[in-house]
Amino acid sequence: MAEGDAIEFYCAAGMKVPVELIREAYEKEYGVPIQIQYGGSGTLLSNIKIANRGDLYLAADQSYIDIAKQDGLLQETIPIANITPIIAVKKGNPKNIHSIEDLLRDDVSYSLANPDAASVGRTCKNLLEASGDWAQIESGAKVMKPTVNDVANDVKLGAVDAGLVWDAVAAQYPELERVHVDELDRGEMTITIGVLSSTQMPTDALRFARYLTAKDKGLTIFNKHGYRAVEGDAWAVKPEIVFFSGTVNKPAIDETINKFAEREGVEVDTVYNGCGILVAQMKAGQRPDAYFACDVSFVKQVGDLFLDFTKLAKTDIVIAVQKGNPKNIQSLNDLTNEGVSIGVCNEEQSALGYLTMRLLKDAGVYEGVRKNVKSEVPVGPFLVNQTETGSLDACIVYEVNAHPAKDKLDIIKIDHPLANATQPYAVADYSGHKYLLSRLLDSIRAHHQNFENVGFEWLGGSTDNQEEDEWTKDKVKTLTGQEM
């Protein structure tokens, strides 16, 4: 960001009061000018499409954010607060308005926000169409205004008796009173800010967006002015997060994480290791902000530290042998043959070692294979190298471990339901950067081709983990005698 450059910010008019205070505080603290254009969310979106420039867009409801995403106008998004439409009336409610039907009385006048320009107008139209009231309400309105603030001002000045506005906007007018009705209470919306694809300074735009949505900065101002702010992240000019990951995931995510850190202007301390070692470190007191495990069974072992996990990818467990398969190994049973040298991962240090133990026990060949184990290491790539150089006849590894050496090794598939691992992404419950980590997950999802390029099966981010949870607990208890 060159000196003198300003962040161009399109902001829904209903948020002007808190946003102006936040802008002033940010400019004072960091000397970065913020140039803001206020208007209806729909009007601003049209302006963005025409201008194809700018850095940030704040809409009063998610539907405009969704449209902007579909049109390729937005990259990252961050939720701010929730709001609900209500009927605004003068203090004391002199016209005794308590329902939508009351607006249609001959002695009542009211104004609406234009559904094509303002999010509150669009939301109220959708809600009242659903209740069957919109046609009468639209035709009975005294005036249609471009922004929610214009509607609130009409009521304040006595130009009309009532208006449909956001509850948080009405709360900023001491002259107004809020009337909740069932038809509108169903329309809670989330105010969201997004980084425009047209930005030439994404790091600066994201930094201000993080400030505006920080629980100890911008969100305190939103709460003070009647908005129901989300939890939010803690503020830091350059947040530092610790990210634990099983080694198998490194080829698929390393580049994505580095690019994410550079764009966001954050520090990501990524620790790759065997999942048994990582879990032991967490049980000893280390506290990463997120954990991308080699298998769901390992994130469950420290499940009390994490929120629900998201399954992103899957890989098979296979037997890798020297090219040409000189020992004619075709199955797990063949690994019990006399004179076969085998490599496996350590059962306590790595997820692969644990899963291999589980697989061999379930297949009834655990003792037979163990007597032939000549190498036991924390991570699969070491075994691939040893097999490739002829130090081992075979090794049991993830298919993605063997993928880089597929021209030098033969891969033997294992026909068993336990011969696979699923990689889950989990955010720590105690982390002060949950929204940042959610954006990291979005970035990993956006680059899922990296998983497929190195041999993973992409699952797309399934959160349907209940069945696998129960399965994992039952299996661990059966095979190890321990509760998870």
Side-chain angles (χ1 to χ4, degrees):
M1 185 176 188
E3 186 175 352
D5 284 350
I7 293 173
E8 293 186 53
F9 182 13
Y10 299 87
C11 181
M15 317 310 143
K16 185 173 183 178
V17 171
V19 167
E20 276 299 305
L21 293 170
I22 295 165
R23 177 185 65 80
E24 290 172 12
Y26 190 76
E27 289 181 342
K28 184 177 180 182
E29 283 187 68
Y30 301 105
V32 177
I34 313 292
Q35 187 178 77
I36 305 179
Q37 179 184 145
Y38 293 103
S41 297
T43 302
L44 292 175
L45 185 56
S46 298
N47 292 348
I48 291 167
K49 288 179 180 178
I50 293 169
N52 193 29
R53 58 173 295 171
D55 304 297
L56 293 166
Y57 170 50
L58 186 154
D61 76 70
Q62 183 67 34
S63 64
Y64 287 105
I65 294 293
D66 293 340
I67 293 170
K69 279 186 172 179
Q70 289 166 11
D71 291 345
L73 299 172
L74 280 185
Q75 296 292 320
E76 300 86 351
T77 61
I78 311 176
I80 298 171
N82 296 316
I83 49 178
T84 305
I86 51 94
I87 301 173
V89 298
K90 272 292 197 69
K91 203 74 172 177
N93 197 359
K95 287 295 181 75
N96 198 29
I97 296 169
H98 297 286
S99 67
I100 293 296
E101 289 74 20
D102 286 339
L103 295 176
L104 300 173
R105 291 186 344 233
D106 291 340
D107 64 329
V108 173
S109 62
Y110 58 92
S111 65
L112 301 175
N114 186 334
D116 296 325
S119 62
V120 72
R122 177 190 175 98
T123 301
C124 289
K125 178 184 178 184
N126 291 338
L127 291 168
L128 295 178
E129 279 183 339
S131 66
D133 297 307
W134 176 248
Q136 281 185 293
I137 289 294
E138 182 185 29
S139 62
K142 181 176 181 180
V143 64
M144 197 80 82
K145 290 298 183 79
T147 73
V148 65
N149 302 58
D150 294 326
V151 176
N153 279 324
D154 276 356
V155 182
K156 172 189 170 183
L157 298 173
V160 293
D161 300 311
L164 303 189
V165 301
W166 297 118
D167 54 354
V169 172
Q172 296 163 25
Y173 290 78
E175 305 88 352
L176 302 187
E177 187 170 310
R178 291 169 284 180
V179 177
H180 284 271
V181 296
D182 290 343
E183 294 90 336
L184 301 181
D185 280 348
R186 304 184 185 99
E188 183 177 77
M189 292 290 162
T190 300
I191 307 166
T192 303
I193 188 170
V195 178
L196 291 170
S197 302
S198 57
T199 183
Q200 299 299 307
M201 42 189 182
T203 305
D204 298 286
L206 277 161
R207 186 172 293 119
F208 176 64
R210 287 195 289 101
Y211 183 93
L212 186 141
T213 58
K215 59 185 175 185
D216 47 354
K217 290 293 184 180
L219 294 189
T220 62
I221 296 174
F222 273 96
N223 276 328
K224 184 178 178 181
H225 288 273
Y227 298 84
R228 301 185 297 282
V230 300
E231 178 183 351
D233 282 349
W235 167 246
V237 174
K238 187 171 187 176
E240 297 180 5
I241 59 175
V242 178
F243 186 82
F244 276 14
S245 174
T247 305
V248 70
N249 303 318
K250 184 175 181 179
I253 62 171
D254 206 39
E255 181 181 358
T256 300
I257 290 176
N258 290 335
K259 287 183 177 178
F260 173 83
E262 181 178 355
R263 179 177 170 89
E264 286 266 359
V266 304
E267 187 76 30
V268 182
D269 180 11
T270 309
V271 180
Y272 295 108
N273 214 328
C275 279
I277 296 172
L278 295 176
V279 166
Q281 290 173 335
M282 285 185 267
K283 288 183 175 178
Q286 293 194 30
R287 292 291 179 265
D289 292 283
Y291 177 31
F292 191 23
C294 294
D295 187 69
V296 292
S297 56
F298 274 72
V299 78
K300 280 298 298 180
Q301 293 182 36
V302 285
D304 58 322
L305 302 180
F306 294 94
L307 304 169
D308 287 345
F309 56 81
T310 302
K311 292 179 283 187
L312 292 181
K314 184 177 180 181
T315 183
D316 286 340
I317 297 172
V318 300
I319 303 169
V321 300
Q322 294 173 33
K323 201 69 179 176
N325 196 1
K327 292 296 178 77
N328 193 30
I329 295 168
Q330 302 297 334
S331 68
L332 290 176
N333 283 328
D334 293 336
L335 297 179
T336 66
N337 293 342
E338 195 73 28
V340 176
S341 60
I342 299 167
V344 297
C345 278
N346 185 281
E347 297 172 9
E348 296 183 354
Q349 294 179 326
S350 81
L352 178 56
Y354 167 77
L355 296 175
T356 299
M357 175 272 291
R358 188 182 68 176
L359 168 65
L360 296 177
K361 285 189 174 181
D362 203 69
V365 297
Y366 179 75
E367 298 300 332
V369 171
R370 286 298 306 179
K371 68 180 176 56
N372 287 334
V373 170
K374 306 302 180 188
S375 178
E376 195 165 358
V377 298
V379 294
F382 293 156
L383 299 174
V384 171
N385 291 337
Q386 290 174 327
T387 306
E388 189 179 333
T389 60
S391 299
L392 297 170
D393 295 317
C395 62
I396 300 176
V397 292
Y398 295 127
E399 188 166 13
V400 294
N401 293 147
H403 187 79
K406 60 185 178 183
D407 294 335
K408 299 175 182 176
L409 298 174
D410 285 342
I411 305 300
I412 312 299
K413 291 280 190 179
I414 300 172
D415 184 16
H416 193 286
L418 298 185
N420 58 72
T422 301
Q423 291 72 53
Y425 179 99
V427 174
D429 188 36
Y430 49 79
S431 175
H433 304 289
K434 295 186 182 73
Y435 294 85
L436 178 65
L437 292 163
S438 176
R439 295 198 295 283
L440 175 56
L441 174 59
D442 289 342
S443 184
I444 290 173
R445 280 173 163 156
H447 295 88
H448 65 84
Q449 189 64 46
N450 293 346
F451 285 82
E452 293 160 348
N453 289 343
V454 297
F456 282 100
E457 176 187 348
W458 178 250
L459 299 180
S462 169
T463 55
D464 180 18
N465 55 31
Q466 183 176 357
E467 182 180 352
E468 192 153 3
D469 266 3
E470 296 305 317
W471 175 86
T472 301
K473 284 190 289 188
D474 291 345
K475 274 296 178 186
V476 170
K477 186 176 181 180
T478 300
L479 297 174
T480 68
Q482 298 176 349
E483 296 280 0
M484 291 186 68

